[in-house]
Amino acid sequence: MCGIVGYIGTKQAYPILIKGLKRLEYRGYDSAGVAMISAGGDLNVYKAKGKVDNLIEYCGDKDVSGSIGIAHTRWATHGEPSARNAHPHYSRSHNLAIIHNGIIENYADIKTKLQANGIEFRSDTDTEVLVQLVEYIMVKKNLSLLESVQVALHQVVGAYAIAIVDKRDPCQIIAARKQSPLVVGIGENEFFLGSDASPIIDYTDKVVYLEDGNIAVIRLGEELKVISVLGEEQDLKVKTVDIDLGQIEKGGYKHFMLKEIFEQPECLKNCMRGRINVEGNHVTLSAMIDYHRQLLSAKRIVIVACGTSWHAGLIGKQLIESLCRIPCEVEYASEFRYRNPVVMKDDVVIAISQSGETADTLAAIHLAKEQGAFIYGICNAIGASIPRATDTGTYIHVGPEIGVASTKAFTGQVTVLSMLALCLAAERNTIPPELYQQIVKELTLIPGKMEQALKTNGQIENLAPIFTYARNCLYLGRGYNYPLALEGALKLKEISYIHAEGYPAAEMKHGPIALIDSEMPVFVIATRDRLYEKVISNIQEVRARGGRVTALVTEGDTQIQKFADHIITLPDTLECFQPLIASIPLQLLAYHIAVCKGKDVDRPRNLAKSVTVE
Ligand code: AGP
């Protein structure tokens, strides 16, 4: 997500801030900015869209002097990526500047109140709301910066890591965190700030990791002080960082892919935040409110996507057809764009893309648009070409995905498709209210169940070496788990270079069964659902031909172990959400097999993260 850097000391801040921003580049971002207080007392804020290099170029002829400063790389959540929405944000008087990671959930309410008090906003961000609120409190109540931050943080709901400076007090940075990490580095008469330790480790190994709800008062010439939002002084837990840069960037994980697999419970919470109410029984998507008529008049839905996003689309089709009773087709964007498809005026086309830049998906959107369809995007990268080309849409908000093999984007896409299907079903009255509420509730429980599924990591790591010899693998599933079989196979192919195929389990006897022998690992998603007994029969068919079965089963299952060589047990959930849970062991399996084979997991050969060419 976003990156924070700060410096206060006796050196020039700008080079330290820029070097720190470059260190944070691995997180992915869409814009960057810096703020320094010059010796003359000016608070200079400079921002640029795109890479840190653009910011450096922009600052080329500017006054970047000053030995106190804050800097930020932004991954947009509220407001398109632009210099205007980039951080730092000034307060109304230009006395304060803030940088922020996280999401202020009640920003709209606060903004309305501030606007009613005559405050004008210069950006579309939730962050600017916070700095305006702090200044409003400062002026209205005649409080210090620290006191105003304390009062303001009481009023905001959401997650944040912030740093704020006041040009009238160039010896102080106030920083605070809740659910977003923040680290203070302690040097000789200087302090550093970072959203992780990577911008700090060049200068000092003494750091304090701020804890949730704490505020750091960083004053030049004084000891670092950490207090709670209520003002109680906290013990200073100074730690020594003894980790290399690569480790920090990957949050201690060996690869980005593993980190991203483990991030999924948190990502899905972010994806649902503000969309499912706190009681967990109602879903609201802003696109549904803004484009109610267009979405409700859909006679047919066509999903266009590529790769993993296409697999998420196949799950979306089943959700949409079974919950909303709207016919739904799923098309490879690359095929759709060239095959003269029938697109009707009352069609809604859903384009799914993690990167938001996939050339084929973009071309499919343009084609469908020309023919009069209404276009809905499901993307991760805010403000990318695809969300800009669509009529409306929903971001999955899972944060930058760095590993080439898509993991958290897949589960984020399925989550958004689930929420969309639930919204449409409620509006169309195609499912009873009790069932609607039961499904919404279950969706909110998925992050917890994913945590449980992640506990299979050790077992899967031990199993992985058994499969490294394989030249071919088969993945089987039925119903909602069939697209997951395709996704499991794609993950293995991409990063281990083992040929793998996904099949609907019952279709196996129409051909692929001929391939089965004792050298062919077969992974079967056999979780408990309507087709459970049938999948058991399919497993027996594999066993009868000497195939080696690894089955993903629901906890409490006693039947499948009789027929499988290995079983991986997963928490129970509704049939439609099984792919969200069962994707975890399949991602881990592909990951550990690839690691055992010594492959470059995050950067597999011949692949690119963003496929911007046909
Ligand atoms: C998934 O692991 C792949 N790297 C790939 O199939 C990807 O999903 C596909 O290229 C589509 O990308 P997009 O979601 O960014 O459009």
Side-chain angles (χ1 to χ4, degrees):
M1 292 286 247
C2 313
I4 279 180
V5 191
Y7 176 77
I8 180 165
T10 49
K11 303 185 184 107
Q12 282 298 298
Y14 178 73
I16 295 170
L17 298 175
I18 291 293
K19 190 170 176 189
L21 290 183
K22 290 216 148 239
R23 277 284 162 80
L24 292 169
E25 283 191 307
Y26 73 91
R27 291 163 164 251
Y29 58 92
D30 50 56
S31 50
V34 281
M36 283 83 42
I37 304 175
S38 72
D42 292 325
L43 174 55
N44 294 313
V45 171
Y46 307 118
K47 313 193 272 192
K49 188 177 168 186
K51 293 196 174 301
V52 175
D53 283 339
N54 298 359
L55 177 67
I56 297 172
E57 199 185 321
Y58 179 73
C59 290
D61 58 352
K62 308 280 185 303
D63 175 8
V64 292
S65 66
S67 49
I68 167 172
I70 51 178
H72 191 263
T73 49
R74 174 172 187 253
W75 171 265
T77 57
H78 295 74
E80 54 162 23
S82 60
R84 186 172 153 268
N85 286 329
H87 305 200
H89 288 286
Y90 277 125
S91 62
R92 183 194 204 178
S93 67
H94 283 214
N95 286 334
L96 311 181
I98 195 172
I99 51 175
H100 163 229
N101 289 354
I103 297 174
I104 305 298
E105 284 169 34
N106 59 341
Y107 82 101
D109 289 348
I110 300 175
K111 187 170 183 174
T112 310
K113 284 181 200 141
L114 292 171
Q115 281 169 327
N117 282 287
I119 293 173
E120 283 172 17
F121 284 80
R122 306 177 196 100
S123 77
D124 310 314
T125 64
D126 50 339
T127 304
E128 190 191 350
V129 172
L130 193 49
V131 74
Q132 301 288 20
L133 177 65
V134 170
E135 185 169 82
Y136 177 75
I137 294 166
M138 248 177 135
V139 174
K140 183 125 197 254
K141 304 201 168 173
N142 195 21
L143 296 177
S144 68
L145 176 62
L146 173 61
E147 289 162 336
S148 310
V149 168
Q150 283 174 280
V151 175
L153 293 183
H154 271 297
Q155 297 182 23
V156 301
V157 177
Y160 52 78
I162 57 163
I164 184 162
V165 291
D166 182 339
K167 73 175 186 186
R168 295 159 299 184
D169 185 359
C171 292
Q172 175 179 262
I173 301 176
I174 300 288
R177 75 154 274 184
K178 187 178 165 203
Q179 289 170 35
S180 260
L182 202 53
V183 189
V184 184
I186 305 171
E188 286 293 318
N189 202 25
E190 59 185 355
F191 295 98
F192 305 84
L193 201 60
S195 35
D196 62 38
S198 60
I200 298 175
I201 52 172
D202 284 331
Y203 312 100
T204 177
D205 60 357
K206 302 256 168 309
V207 298
V208 171
Y209 291 93
L210 275 199
E211 290 183 14
D212 259 0
N214 282 352
I215 300 175
V217 184
I218 308 167
R219 280 201 79 82
L220 196 60
E222 292 182 17
E223 290 249 304
L224 174 68
K225 197 160 106 190
V226 176
I227 58 169
S228 71
V229 190
L230 298 171
E232 295 141 352
E233 195 150 343
Q234 307 291 301
D235 289 343
L236 213 55
K237 295 179 193 143
V238 182
K239 301 228 159 82
T240 306
V241 265
D242 181 22
I243 32 180
D244 68 36
L245 193 61
Q247 249 182 309
I248 298 172
E249 291 173 347
K250 294 180 186 121
Y253 291 96
K254 206 166 154 204
H255 296 99
F256 283 113
M257 182 181 176
L258 191 62
K259 174 173 173 264
E260 286 158 8
I261 293 173
F262 272 84
E263 271 172 2
Q264 288 177 99
E266 210 41 50
C267 293
L268 291 212
K269 283 187 209 160
N270 286 338
C271 179
M272 290 185 255
R273 184 172 286 133
R275 293 165 174 169
I276 298 188
N277 61 352
V278 274
E279 290 78 26
N281 57 14
H282 187 69
V283 187
T284 317
L285 292 178
S286 53
M288 235 2 242
I289 299 170
D290 300 342
Y291 294 91
H292 193 257
R293 184 186 55 75
Q294 291 87 335
L295 292 171
L296 274 189
S297 54
K299 298 265 182 314
R300 179 178 76 143
I301 289 177
V302 181
I303 296 177
V304 291
C306 304
T308 289
S309 300
W310 184 78
H311 296 153
L314 291 177
I315 295 170
K317 169 188 166 75
Q318 298 193 40
L319 284 159
I320 289 165
E321 292 197 334
S322 78
L323 299 180
C324 324
R325 310 306 298 156
I326 304 174
C328 179
E329 290 164 25
V330 187
E331 300 256 7
Y332 283 119
S334 53
E335 289 296 311
F336 180 84
R337 64 182 289 195
Y338 285 120
R339 69 166 183 76
N340 193 15
V342 177
V343 181
M344 293 168 290
K345 205 168 53 44
D346 286 332
D347 280 348
V348 168
V349 169
I350 299 181
I352 309 177
S353 173
Q354 186 286 130
S355 61
E357 297 295 349
T358 302
D360 284 322
T361 310
L362 199 54
I365 291 171
H366 291 315
L367 175 76
K369 224 173 177 179
E370 273 163 26
Q371 301 195 16
F374 182 78
I375 320 286
Y376 186 106
I378 297 180
C379 290
N380 192 30
I382 315 282
S385 306
I386 291 177
R388 287 205 308 273
T390 50
D391 293 304
T392 186
T394 302
Y395 284 113
I396 61 173
H397 285 324
V398 297
E401 195 179 60
I402 312 276
V404 165
S406 187
T407 51
K408 59 180 184 173
F410 173 71
T411 47
Q413 290 162 345
V414 173
T415 303
V416 165
L417 286 161
S418 306
M419 292 192 286
L420 178 62
L422 283 160
C423 283
L424 286 170
E427 294 284 344
R428 292 166 55 89
N429 282 322
T430 41
I431 53 171
E434 311 76 54
L435 179 60
Y436 165 83
Q437 287 183 11
Q438 186 203 350
I439 301 175
V440 178
K441 182 84 220 164
E442 184 61 22
L443 188 53
T444 65
L445 301 180
I446 294 297
K449 295 188 179 189
M450 280 182 150
E451 297 278 6
Q452 246 178 287
L454 284 164
K455 294 197 177 124
T456 59
N457 184 43
Q459 181 199 0
I460 293 171
E461 189 173 5
N462 291 336
L463 277 179
I466 304 173
F467 303 113
T468 47
Y469 75 89
R471 294 179 59 85
N472 301 288
C473 289
L474 196 58
Y475 285 71
L476 302 176
R478 299 189 71 162
Y480 284 100
N481 287 330
Y482 157 55
L484 189 62
L486 297 177
E487 174 60 8
L490 178 64
K491 288 288 89 89
L492 188 71
K493 277 185 260 204
E494 281 187 292
I495 57 171
S496 74
Y497 317 144
I498 295 174
H499 169 247
E501 281 196 65
Y503 253 89
E507 189 62 20
M508 187 188 53
K509 56 185 170 296
H510 300 288
I513 200 163
L515 297 170
I516 290 176
D517 61 20
S518 61
E519 300 206 342
M520 168 81 113
V522 182
F523 301 105
V524 188
I525 307 142
T527 45
R528 207 174 299 113
D529 56 28
R530 280 173 307 129
L531 296 168
Y532 173 72
E533 297 296 340
K534 295 188 186 298
V535 174
I536 293 187
S537 308
N538 300 139
I539 292 177
Q540 284 167 320
E541 287 159 17
V542 173
R543 280 308 291 256
R545 272 105 195 147
R548 299 255 160 247
V549 174
T550 301
L552 271 49
V553 303
T554 307
E555 59 193 352
D557 190 293
T558 50
Q559 291 203 57
I560 293 178
Q561 52 191 324
K562 293 181 224 144
F563 315 113
D565 297 274
H566 311 285
I567 58 163
I568 296 167
T569 304
L570 298 172
D572 197 9
T573 184
L574 294 176
E575 190 173 322
C576 58
F577 298 142
Q578 280 170 355
L580 289 172
I581 305 293
S583 56
I584 290 198
L586 295 184
Q587 294 164 354
L588 288 169
L589 200 62
Y591 170 78
H592 286 298
I593 293 173
V595 169
C596 282
K597 292 185 67 135
K599 303 300 179 202
D600 185 349
V601 172
D602 285 331
R603 270 176 243 95
R605 70 184 181 202
N606 308 338
L607 293 175
K609 186 66 190 158
S610 186
V611 186
T612 51
V613 290
E614 282 196 49

